[in-house]
Amino acid sequence: MKNSDGNIEVADIDNAIQMLNKYANETSIKPLISILEALREDLHSESLLAQLTNSWRNLGVYQGTVLTYVPYFYTFIQDDIFGDNLK
């Protein structure tokens, strides 16, 4: 989740990675996990945050899988998590 400064916390990313590796065996989720691992090393990377958002939006039905095991995942996405407000 984000701390009071609006930043993502490493512990939350670690937990997300562990939960997804343990419970979500879908191949399409692996790129998302790789991006989370890179983001853990550079929390302020705008490029990685954009990659995370793109990877998330390309998951399709597997978004539900991610949210099942990491219900706070929405805090990692900088804008509208489901892209409803995209033009």
Side-chain angles (χ1 to χ4, degrees):
M1 289 187 264
K2 296 179 184 179
N3 64 22
S4 60
D5 296 334
N7 294 322
I8 299 169
E9 295 181 15
V10 173
D12 292 322
I13 292 176
D14 282 337
N15 186 57
I17 292 167
Q18 290 174 7
M19 294 299 287
L20 292 173
N21 279 328
K22 184 172 183 178
Y23 297 110
N25 296 322
E26 291 81 8
T27 304
S28 58
I29 294 177
K30 299 301 179 194
L32 186 79
I33 295 170
S34 295
I35 296 167
L36 286 171
E37 289 170 342
L39 190 60
R40 176 177 54 194
E41 303 302 320
D42 186 3
L43 294 175
H44 304 292
S45 172
E46 293 295 324
S47 173
L48 288 172
L49 289 170
Q51 289 176 43
L52 185 69
T53 299
N54 289 335
S55 181
W56 164 257
R57 293 216 170 102
N58 290 324
L59 282 179
V61 297
Y62 293 113
Q63 287 178 338
T65 302
V66 171
L67 290 174
T68 296
Y69 300 111
V70 188
Y72 56 86
F73 186 84
Y74 70 92
T75 64
F76 298 160
I77 303 298
Q78 299 298 311
D79 56 12
D80 177 25
I81 189 167
F82 295 112
D84 294 335
N85 294 323
L86 296 178
K87 297 191 183 224

